[in-house]
Amino acid sequence: EAEVAQSPRYKITEKSQAVAFWCDPISGHATLYWYRQILGQGPELLVQFQDESVVDDSQLPKDRFSAERLKGVDSTLKIQPAELGDSAMYLCASSFQGLDEQYFGPGTRLTVT
Amino acid sequence: RKEVEQDPGPFNVPEGATVAFNCTYSNSASQSFFWYRQDCRKEPKLLMSVYSSGNEDGRFTAQLNRASQYISLLIRDSKLSDSATYLCVVNEGSARQLTFGSGTQLTVLP
């Protein structure tokens, strides 16, 4: 069964450092999403890509977060500088174009100290 | 007011019990609805879509009431393996973005 891949699975970093997360969606899925999930809450959308284009990044804190999907396949989410409040699970999801069902990767659990 | 609201629980039920979760959404233009299941420290996984006519998958039944903007999930004959957080999810528009509730935690006890 095809899966969304993410790395690293866990990341511990000190505040003010830079971190990057990688996601490889299910093959053929044109739409890719990055979410942030704080413990006890549901995932919240950070950015949505359609192929290589950003569809929505209205909830992305652009002063410190950036996301790219240069070739319309895998994607990178970067935080620079990291803050204590960024500690969360960062989830990547993908969906087939035109369909609503999203499939999630295992996530990257970030701890900022 | 949150766009998707769920009772956070926790719901603690014995094996074999029937349990129901409810969810309300605020955007009347919402187009599609889902229940996702999330195990502790794992990613959310699609449990089932929710259709206007209601739908059933084994022990799980989902229903949608558009007039009341209300979604439900019924689990019959609960198993220990059903212990998880159940997320109510709504697609609010053409951008195919999902809005998640905060989840309802279920623990099935032996």
Side-chain angles (χ1 to χ4, degrees):
Chain A
E1 181 178 313
E3 296 180 341
V4 177
Q6 286 189 251
S7 67
R9 295 289 305 276
Y10 304 92
K11 179 70 177 178
I12 300 173
T13 190
E14 294 182 349
K15 65 178 182 178
S16 80
Q17 296 300 302
V19 292
F21 313 133
W22 177 79
C23 172
D24 191 13
I26 293 172
S27 179
H29 280 197
T31 312
L32 184 148
Y33 310 81
W34 282 101
Y35 290 88
R36 176 169 58 187
Q37 185 175 23
I38 296 169
L39 194 63
Q41 299 182 19
E44 294 183 320
L45 181 69
L46 292 174
V47 61
Q48 177 184 351
F49 288 92
Q50 180 67 34
D51 299 310
E52 67 277 7
S53 300
V54 173
V55 173
D56 185 354
D57 63 358
S58 58
Q59 300 303 311
L60 190 70
K62 297 182 191 61
D63 57 336
R64 298 185 301 108
F65 285 64
S66 64
E68 60 183 18
R69 194 184 184 198
L70 294 177
K71 297 183 179 179
V73 181
D74 59 338
S75 175
T76 302
L77 178 69
K78 296 179 181 177
I79 308 174
Q80 182 174 15
E83 295 181 354
L84 295 176
D86 296 332
S87 295
M89 173 80 91
Y90 289 83
L91 292 159
C92 180
S94 69
S95 65
F96 193 76
Q97 187 167 349
L99 297 182
D100 295 332
E101 291 85 355
Q102 295 182 18
Y103 298 88
F104 285 81
T108 296
R109 184 168 297 281
L110 173 67
T111 302
V112 182
T113 62
Chain B
R1 182 185 168 200
K2 286 185 179 178
E3 296 172 4
V4 180
E5 293 204 51
Q6 296 182 248
D7 181 343
F11 284 62
N12 298 318
V13 302
E15 265 188 296
T18 295
V19 61
F21 305 137
N22 302 318
C23 168
T24 57
Y25 60 95
S26 60
N27 187 344
S28 60
S30 297
Q31 298 179 353
S32 52
F33 311 87
F34 309 91
W35 284 100
Y36 276 70
R37 169 193 169 129
Q38 187 169 27
D39 292 304
C40 187
R41 297 185 172 270
K42 296 289 184 71
E43 74 272 23
K45 292 189 176 180
L46 179 64
L47 179 65
M48 59 197 305
S49 302
V50 187
Y51 304 119
S52 296
S53 55
N55 49 301
E56 186 174 312
D57 182 3
R59 299 181 292 107
F60 298 82
T61 301
Q63 292 196 314
L64 167 65
N65 184 322
R66 285 188 183 271
S68 301
Q69 295 179 202
Y70 167 99
I71 306 159
S72 66
L73 177 69
L74 183 77
I75 305 175
R76 293 182 298 277
D77 188 22
S78 300
K79 310 292 185 191
L80 296 176
S81 57
D82 293 335
S83 297
T85 296
Y86 291 84
L87 297 162
C88 175
V89 186
V90 174
N91 179 325
E92 299 193 333
S94 60
R96 305 204 179 279
Q97 294 175 5
L98 300 183
T99 300
F100 287 76
S102 294
T104 299
Q105 185 180 343
L106 170 68
T107 301
V108 180
L109 304 169

